[in-house]
Every structure is written in C-alpha cells, then in structure tokens.
Amino acid sequence: MILDGSSIPEGKTFDADICVVGSGAAGLTLALDLTRRGIKVVMIESGGLVFDGRSNQLLEVEMAGRTTETLVKTTRERFFGGTTNHWGGVCRAFDAFEFEPHPWMPYSGWPISRADLDPYYASAASLLGLPEVSRTFDAKALGVADRPRLVKEGEPDVEPIIWRRIPDEHLRMGQWRRQEVETSQLLTCVMNTSIVEIHPDASLKRIASLEGRAFGGHTLHFRARDFVLCTGAIENARLLLVSDSVVKGGLGNEHDLVGRFFMDHPANGISQVLLTDPAKGPTQEQFLAKSELLGWTTTPAARAKYHLQGFMSWVWPRTLAPQPQFPQELAMSKLTGLPTDKRDNDQPRYLEIVLNWEQAPNPDSRVMLSDKRDIFGVRKPLVHWDVLPQDLASAHKSMELISLAVARSGLGRVRWPDITNPLTTGGGHQMGTTRMANDPKQGVTNANCRVHSLENLFIGGSSLYPTGGWEHPTFTIVTLALRLADHLAARVKTP
Ligand SMILES: Cc1cc2nc3c(=O)[nH]c(=O)nc-3n(C[C@H](O)[C@H](O)[C@H](O)COP(=O)(O)OP(=O)(O)OC[C@H]3O[C@@H](n4cnc5c(N)ncnc54)[C@H](O)[C@@H]3O)c2cc1C
C-alpha cells in the first residue's frame, strides 16, 4: 500500500515489525524481501512517485575540501526508487580480493568475505534478471577469438573485464517494483515524508521511534522492533549525526566514526588508444564494444606487487563510430579557423576509454553537519571530499600498466589525461560513511550491518563499505539488502 504522508493527520503513529527508511535500491529490495516472508514493514520515502522540486531541494549539501559540484549535487535522486531513477544499471560482483585486507592500504578488509555473500549474489542476480553473478571475458564464447586483442591473454598485470547491464525492464527499480508495493498487504510505504530524527529509548541502547516530517510540515511517528536506514551514504551519516538531542555527537558515534571514510570512484577524462594500423579492421575490444560493456583492470597480483588500489578503464561504446578527426584536431581547427585533415577511410583510428578508480579509505574525507538548515529545519550535510596523493599515484601506475600492456600487443598506444587534473570528479558512487568492522573502534556497523552501539538500528547501502573496490556498487547493495533481510527475518521469529 502506498500512502501520501502529506494527507495523513498530524501526530499519527505507524507500527510495524520493521521500519525501512528510503525506497532506493537498498530500501525497496529489503522491504519487499521482508514482506515475502510474512513480515510487516513500513517504508518511509522522502519524495513522491515522480521527480519533484520539493524533495530535490532536500538533497542540498555544503562542500568543503575538494569541491566538485557533480560529486554530490547531481548524483542522487530523492523520490520513489531513489538514485536508480537515473543509474546506468551496470553490474559486477565484488571480486573476493576486495574483501581481503591489503597491507599497503590502511583500514582495508571487510568483516565478511565473498563466500559469505555468494548465495545472496546469486539471489540478487536472479532478482535483477542477470544471467550470472560474475562474467568472465571469454573470446571464444564471445565469437571474437579470431581477431587481434589489444591486451593479450596472459598479461601479468592487466586483465580484461566484461560487465552485465540490467535488462531494461528491471532498470528503474521504482517503476518495476511499484505494483508490488501498491498491492502488498504487509508493506505500507509512506511517501512525501522525510525522517528528521531517530529517537533512542531511555536505555540509549535501542531505538524507540523515528520522527518524520511530511510536506505540509506536520509530524508523523514510526515505531518498530528493528529500524533500517537506506538513504544513501551521505544521508545515512547525516541522519545519525542530526539525531543528537539526547546523545551528543549523534547516534552510533561513540568513536567519532560516523561520516568518516567517505569515498567515491573518482573519474577523470577520456583517454585514447591510438590504433597502430586502423585499416586492419576492428580488434576484439572494438568489435565487442558495439554490444558489450568491457574494459581492463589491474590483476590482484599487480595490485599486491605495486601496492595499488582498484582501477578500471572502460571502452567507450561511441568508439565504434567513424572518427574523421581527433577531438583535439577539431578544437584546434575551431580556434585557428583552418580546415581539418581529410580522412580517406572510415575505420576508427582510436578507441576512447574512461577511467574510474578506488580511493584509499581516509578518515578525513567525511560527511559532517553544516550550520545551514533545510526546509524542515534539519542541518544540511557538509561534505569534505579528499583525493589523496596515494590515490593519484595508484591511478597513475595502473594507467601506466594498461598502457604498457597495450603497447606490448603492438596494436596501439595509449594517450591518457593528466590524472592529477583538478577537475577529477566522483563517479556518483558515494560510499563508506558507516563502514563495517568487527571492532567498534574501527567501524560504525558490525558484520550484520547493525550499528555497534544500538541493538535494533541497521544500515543498508554502500555506506557500509570499508573499501570501494573498482566494481560498481549497486549489485552489492542489493546483495547486502537480501542478506540483511535474512538476518532481520530470523530476529523477528525470535521472541
Ligand atoms: C549517473 C549515475 C549512474 C550510475 N550508474 C550506476 C551503474 O551503472 N551501476 C551501479 O552499480 N551504480 C550506479 N550508480 C550508483 C547507484 O545509483 C547507487 O549506488 C544506488 O542507487 C544507491 O542505492 P541506495 O538505495 O543506497 O540509495 P538511493 O538509491 O539514493 O536511495 C535512497 C532513498 O532514500 C530516500 N531518502 C533520503 N533521505 C531520506 C529521509 N531522511 N527520509 C526518507 N527518505 C529519505 C531518497 O529519497 C531515496 O529514494 C549510478 C549513479 C549515478 C548518479
């Protein structure tokens, strides 16, 4: 059932077994999986069923440190379905290596392993309509084995990667799951209502209720046995921090960790692989880029050898279009007014590749609270995003390894942008502000996604990630939500 909070009378209290805040990838997956097991859920969503300027206004943040408008301002959506209303649907499970501690990366290592997630990755793949959990690049199966390859098989430092994209009918989660929510007898979704504070009980060990503010300004209350915040990495931290009327410094923040270790997948510019002999016809990578998403990453062995963080480069699909001139030549021709070269064949002369990389966990990159307030009087987030010299050095070395591998094939040379470019921006993948760790002094949440110091407050989404890997985050967000549903369902059955 879907209700509009703005037309519910002031002061109403909703009761459920479990209360989920946010209806994005994490919240929708969790709430619907719980109802499938007969559990009564109330889900609160700040926005409406479609984009609305009022809820969008609530996304405003203040920026400190490395300021980039696009990092947080245009990369989140605040209505039913959350940011899946404009995501790309590219999926890849985190490789086992990402969960392990890396001695060269302080604060790395997850309290769970890939094996713990395997069954849930399988369920997530089937839910999202993906044919498998992890796809391997198999030139024979892909029908391109007879073509030359830009990064040859057996290269020690670089390997090809190939992604799956969610089928169109499952891409916009708010659209394809809306009917399930509307017709559910066990799920009540209260829209146009923002949670503004989390209230602990007198013991300070449990959450008693959530306070919501509907458009119109009236207050609604939500009570449950367990509560889960699924509002994205910035808002999850913000909600814990603003809930400070009883516990100074905010909830779960005994060790001053809430909001710290904020990470993204920095992205900068487009590189080119200049083909040695374009007339020879498309390489495997060019040929496949017509229909597949593919690229290269550094191998775990190379990462251990050179102390690298995760790195990926994608082959940009438009690479396949005829390219009469390089962009630089076109720009130069515009500046000088001189005509550009004429090309005598329409074979692509270069591939474009896009770079994204992992950041080292950094406690000083963080979400804090600004003194400015939103329309409900709640303090806005103040985001201080850092890119460390170590991040840049790692990206630089990774790009060098890819360039060398391409050069060794004899088929091309890589021209890449200045990795230190101050325009480097985030990839729309905010992570890490309520990181998981077994030790409460190292992380806000435990291996079951529960806030260490609170018996019934849980977190969903990529704010849980201790490290960000190079893989896209959302397949793992959905996977963790299914795992959390299992855990919460078992708790509900325990008297
Ligand atoms: C342009 C772009 C492309 C992307 N492409 C990919 C991709 O190809 N692959 C990939 O893996 N990831 C991609 N992502 C990232 C992906 O969109 C996010 O990882 C994912 O949507 C996060 O899910 P979530 O449920 O944690 O948060 P969200 O989807 O952001 O949902 C959070 C929900 O909480 C609600 N909310 C927030 N605060 C409150 C409050 N106080 N009270 C009530 N409700 C609240 C919001 O309205 C929202 O509905 C992309 C992101 C962008 C910006």
Side-chain angles (χ1 to χ4, degrees), residues 205-276:
K205 290 191 179 140
R206 295 182 64 80
I207 301 306
S209 67
L210 304 183
E211 180 180 336
R213 200 83 73 237
F215 289 122
H218 54 289
T219 300
L220 304 175
H221 304 280
F222 301 90
R223 287 191 307 216
R225 177 187 169 130
D226 289 330
F227 298 83
V228 192
L229 306 182
C230 299
T231 60
I234 294 173
E235 301 297 325
N236 280 348
R238 178 194 188 191
L239 269 175
L240 292 172
L241 292 173
V242 296
S243 299
D244 62 352
S245 45
V246 180
V247 179
K248 293 299 157 221
L251 295 174
N253 202 19
E254 292 72 14
H255 301 286
D256 187 24
L257 288 170
V258 172
R260 291 190 183 269
F261 299 96
F262 176 72
M263 307 175 277
D264 204 312
H265 284 142
N268 68 345
I270 292 195
S271 309
Q272 289 146 357
V273 179
L274 312 174
L275 299 170
T276 311

Side-chain angles (χ1 to χ4, degrees), residues 149-319:
R149 192 192 288 189
L150 277 167
V151 170
K152 283 190 175 160
E153 206 169 343
E155 274 287 341
D157 297 331
V158 177
E159 61 190 358
I161 34 177
I162 185 154
W163 290 270
R164 284 279 182 203
R165 198 195 289 269
I166 295 219
D168 285 352
E169 62 274 21
H170 286 169
L171 188 62
R172 305 284 166 238
M173 293 193 191
Q175 284 172 25
W176 71 271
R177 308 219 72 184
R178 176 171 162 182
Q179 201 189 0
E180 283 173 83
V181 177
E182 274 171 345
T183 54
S184 173
Q185 300 295 310
L186 288 168
L187 173 59
T188 304
C189 176
V190 182
M191 314 283 299
N192 290 315
T193 304
S194 298
I195 296 305
V196 294
E197 184 153 4
I198 306 165
H199 294 294
D201 70 6
S203 74
L204 303 185
K205 290 191 179 140
R206 295 182 64 80
I207 301 306
S209 67
L210 304 183
E211 180 180 336
R213 200 83 73 237
F215 289 122
H218 54 289
T219 300
L220 304 175
H221 304 280
F222 301 90
R223 287 191 307 216
R225 177 187 169 130
D226 289 330
F227 298 83
V228 192
L229 306 182
C230 299
T231 60
I234 294 173
E235 301 297 325
N236 280 348
R238 178 194 188 191
L239 269 175
L240 292 172
L241 292 173
V242 296
S243 299
D244 62 352
S245 45
V246 180
V247 179
K248 293 299 157 221
L251 295 174
N253 202 19
E254 292 72 14
H255 301 286
D256 187 24
L257 288 170
V258 172
R260 291 190 183 269
F261 299 96
F262 176 72
M263 307 175 277
D264 204 312
H265 284 142
N268 68 345
I270 292 195
S271 309
Q272 289 146 357
V273 179
L274 312 174
L275 299 170
T276 311
D277 188 355
K280 268 194 181 156
T283 57
Q284 288 186 15
E285 290 88 344
Q286 285 168 280
F287 187 80
L288 288 170
K290 276 187 228 165
S291 53
E292 303 282 358
L293 281 168
L294 68 151
W296 304 296
T297 186
T298 41
T299 58
R303 282 171 65 183
K305 181 173 172 189
Y306 299 108
H307 293 181
L308 301 176
Q309 294 144 217
F311 186 90
M312 66 166 162
S313 55
W314 317 47
V315 178
W316 206 234
R318 68 173 179 186
T319 253

Side-chain angles (χ1 to χ4, degrees), residues 292-354:
E292 303 282 358
L293 281 168
L294 68 151
W296 304 296
T297 186
T298 41
T299 58
R303 282 171 65 183
K305 181 173 172 189
Y306 299 108
H307 293 181
L308 301 176
Q309 294 144 217
F311 186 90
M312 66 166 162
S313 55
W314 317 47
V315 178
W316 206 234
R318 68 173 179 186
T319 253
L320 269 280
Q323 300 148 345
Q325 283 89 28
F326 290 123
Q328 291 88 339
E329 285 175 294
L330 284 173
M332 191 54 77
S333 138
K334 266 193 187 160
L335 277 177
T336 59
L338 295 171
T340 52
D341 259 4
K342 286 266 177 294
R343 302 294 182 212
D344 51 8
N345 73 62
D346 64 358
Q347 285 292 355
R349 299 159 60 89
Y350 59 91
L351 272 89
E352 289 184 334
I353 50 177
V354 180

